[in-house]
């Protein structure tokens, strides 16, 4: 018995010593020097906030940007993405960027128009007719000048990404222009977009993207303009099951960084960022087209979802009704940008 107790006692002591050694409980030495750990101090983190789902043109572009930047910088520049408005919604993301709470955002051009009214040129209805024109415009000189305007608010404009054309999604058919009458239409916060739906005799209501689903559920709105990928990824079609392929407007994203943060980056990191964006630009435009086409195919297969096209005559009616908006922009906002854009899109 005495032997058994002594044996057990010794075994327990050995186990305690072994455990303590593994947990470094008795260790007085500091952690060994670690190159990689030191590197952590030099790591640059870009917090990138956006409001849409990951499986959308902007969501996928954010992921691609992260992949390229981290690869090119060997992990020195890290991109943390916060999708779905989980950090900031479209009313608060610009402020968060200006306060450097996040370093990168990519709002729609429409959401920048309160700060920079000239940007409303991109909201003008029927100004762009097809994907080729849209790509040319968003990569062209007008867009470059618009991005440069961001310097006024201490923001670095990097590039434009694309989502494609806006269509009309509604709880009842809107094909003939008269069918807009009295409809409560959700819009992004842009005066020109308000003006557009006023001209159509509808009732525009500015609502953040993240609240649209709930407002539809609560019967606060009847319709909205958005791309197919946004309609599909947020399941708006489950309530707005009448979709008119009007292609009346474009949805572009201005990719931007906090100005002080950008200026604090070393030249090599800045180059990695701009090179990554350049490298992915064509890919981004292709992705946007693909998402919208694929999502439209899904929607067409849902029996409850009705898809309408605008015939030439109906489109003419819409354009006629919306014509005064061009005068409004030209006279009250900026004649120069409109002229520049129209010239640019007509170059071969
Ligand atoms: C987005 O694509 O970022 C949101 C667009 C919207 O607010 O409708």
């Amino acid at each position: 018995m005495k032997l058994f107790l002594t044996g057990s006692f010794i075994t327990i002591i050995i186990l305690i010593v072994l455990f303590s050694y593994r947990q470094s409980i008795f260790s007085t030495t500091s952690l060994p020097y670690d190159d990689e750990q030191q590197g952590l101090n030099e790591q640059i983190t870009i917090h990138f906030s956006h409001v849409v789902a990951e499986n959308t043109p902007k969501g996928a572009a954010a992921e691609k940007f992260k992949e390229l930047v981290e690869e090119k910088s060997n992990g020195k520049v890290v991109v943390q993405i916060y999708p779905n408005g989980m950090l900031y919604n479209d009313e608060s993301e610009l402020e968060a960027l200006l306060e450097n709470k996040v370093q990168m955002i990519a709002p729609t051009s429409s959401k920048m128009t309160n700060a920079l009214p000239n940007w409303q040129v991109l909201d003008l209805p029927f100004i762009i007719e097809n994907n080729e024109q849209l790509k040319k415009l968003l990569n062209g000189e007008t867009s470059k000048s618009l991005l440069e305007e961001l310097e006024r608010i201490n923001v670095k404009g990097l590039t434009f990404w694309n989502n494609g054309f806006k269509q009309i999604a509604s709880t009842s058919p809107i094909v003939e222009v008269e069918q807009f009458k009295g409809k409560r239409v959700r819009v992004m916060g842009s005066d020109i977009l308000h003006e557009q739906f006023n001209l159509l005799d509808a009732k525009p209501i500015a609502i953040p993207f993240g609240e649209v689903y709930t407002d539809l559920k609560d019967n606060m709105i009847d319709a909205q303009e958005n791309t197919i990928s946004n309609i599909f990824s947020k399941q708006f079609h489950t309530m707005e099951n009448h979709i008119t392929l009007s292609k009346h407007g474009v949805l572009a994203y201005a990719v931007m960084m906090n100005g002080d943060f950008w200026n604090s980056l070393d030249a090599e990191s800045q180059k990695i960022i701009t090179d990554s964006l350049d490298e992915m630009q064509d890919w981004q435009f292709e992705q946007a087209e693909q998402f919208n086409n694929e999502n439209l195919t899904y929607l067409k297969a849902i029996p409850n979802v009705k898809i309408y096209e605008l015939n030439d005559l109906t489109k003419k009616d819409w354009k006629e009704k919306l014509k005064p908006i061009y005068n409004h922009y030209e006279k009250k906002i900026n004649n120069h940008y409109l002229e520049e854009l129209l010239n640019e899109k007509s170059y071969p």
Side-chain angles (χ1 to χ4, degrees):
M1 181 67 178
K2 200 174 160 196
L3 200 67
F4 172 75
L5 283 175
T6 315
S8 306
F9 181 71
I10 291 171
T11 311
I12 289 168
I13 294 293
I14 290 172
L15 284 174
I16 288 174
V17 169
L18 269 177
F19 177 77
S20 305
Y21 176 75
R22 290 206 53 169
Q23 300 294 314
S24 304
I25 288 173
F26 298 143
S27 169
T28 52
T29 53
S30 56
L31 285 169
Y33 177 78
D34 177 349
D35 250 358
E36 284 173 34
Q37 196 177 12
Q38 194 194 44
L40 278 178
N41 295 332
E42 287 158 26
Q43 200 165 67
I44 297 163
T45 305
I46 300 172
H47 298 278
F48 182 174
S49 170
H50 69 80
V51 300
V52 291
E54 283 128 315
N55 57 336
T56 59
K58 181 161 62 180
E63 292 294 338
K64 181 80 174 175
F65 173 72
K66 172 185 168 71
E67 183 192 310
L68 289 176
V69 164
E70 292 182 357
E71 187 190 295
K72 284 182 197 296
S73 69
N74 284 324
K76 180 182 162 192
V77 185
V78 172
V79 183
Q80 299 264 9
I81 304 171
Y82 305 91
N84 283 313
M86 64 194 274
L87 275 191
Y88 299 103
N89 70 13
D90 36 44
E91 284 180 335
S92 57
E93 65 182 353
L94 179 59
E95 203 179 314
L97 183 84
L98 296 176
E99 290 171 9
N100 203 28
K101 287 180 179 156
V102 289
Q103 288 68 48
M104 189 168 175
I105 58 173
T108 62
S109 59
S110 318
K111 290 172 191 169
M112 294 304 296
T113 56
N114 283 335
L116 304 169
N118 289 337
W119 281 44
Q120 290 175 86
V121 72
L122 296 176
D123 280 337
L124 287 168
F126 294 111
I127 197 158
I128 302 294
E129 286 135 49
N130 54 48
N131 280 316
E132 291 72 42
Q133 272 183 5
L134 181 55
K135 187 171 178 189
K136 198 161 82 168
L137 170 73
L138 294 181
N139 290 322
E141 288 306 310
T142 313
S143 297
K144 215 167 134 206
S145 313
L146 292 172
L147 287 174
E148 277 163 15
E149 284 200 4
L150 285 165
E151 281 167 23
R152 278 198 242 147
I153 54 168
N154 192 25
V155 167
K156 171 72 182 170
L158 292 165
T159 192
F160 276 103
W161 285 343
N162 177 35
N163 188 329
F165 288 90
K166 288 183 288 185
Q167 326 287 359
I168 296 290
S170 58
T171 53
S172 61
I174 300 182
V175 182
E176 303 303 326
V177 76
E178 295 78 27
Q179 288 173 310
F180 275 107
K181 197 173 172 64
K183 293 274 184 349
R184 298 163 302 170
V185 184
R186 178 267 169 173
V187 287
M188 294 179 266
S190 155
D191 286 350
I192 278 278
L193 297 180
H194 263 83
E195 184 71 12
Q196 170 182 277
F197 286 104
N198 281 332
L199 285 168
L200 293 168
D201 300 322
K203 292 184 184 138
I205 311 171
I207 298 172
F209 187 63
E211 291 169 26
V212 177
Y213 188 87
T214 321
D215 284 358
L216 268 168
K217 243 179 153 174
D218 294 344
N219 190 28
M220 308 284 282
I221 45 176
D222 307 304
Q224 69 173 300
E225 50 167 15
N226 226 318
T227 59
I228 291 294
S229 66
N230 277 349
I231 294 167
F232 181 74
S233 61
K234 289 292 175 191
Q235 302 285 292
F236 296 142
H237 62 276
T238 56
M239 291 166 281
E240 291 171 321
N241 61 326
H242 297 268
I243 297 173
T244 303
L245 303 177
S246 51
K247 285 179 73 175
H248 65 280
V250 299
L251 202 137
Y253 299 118
V255 183
M256 58 183 83
M257 271 190 193
N258 174 285
D260 292 337
F261 173 77
W262 173 259
N263 292 331
S264 76
L265 296 175
D266 55 280
E268 194 194 339
S269 301
Q270 287 185 346
K271 187 165 167 4
I272 285 170
I273 289 167
T274 50
D275 283 356
S276 301
L277 290 168
D278 286 349
E279 187 176 323
M280 62 182 281
Q281 191 71 348
D282 285 347
W283 175 91
Q284 200 283 315
F285 277 72
E286 281 156 27
Q287 283 287 305
E289 234 182 298
Q290 201 173 319
F291 268 113
N292 282 300
N293 288 341
E294 279 176 14
N295 291 174
L296 182 59
T297 307
Y298 279 119
L299 288 175
K300 281 182 171 165
I302 303 173
N304 187 37
V305 174
K306 307 286 173 227
I307 312 272
Y308 313 95
E309 304 265 354
L310 285 189
N311 65 34
D312 288 349
L313 215 61
T314 320
K315 193 184 248 184
K316 202 163 150 251
D317 288 345
W318 284 43
K319 284 186 174 175
E320 198 57 38
K321 200 102 169 118
L322 290 168
K323 223 173 178 177
I325 214 167
Y326 280 79
N327 280 340
H328 173 85
Y329 183 84
E330 202 172 10
K331 301 233 157 63
K332 297 219 170 106
I333 303 169
N334 192 316
N335 178 25
H336 164 75
Y337 270 117
L338 179 58
E339 220 170 81
E340 199 176 308
L341 190 152
L342 291 172
N343 278 337
E344 198 172 0
K345 87 164 187 178
S346 50
Y347 290 148

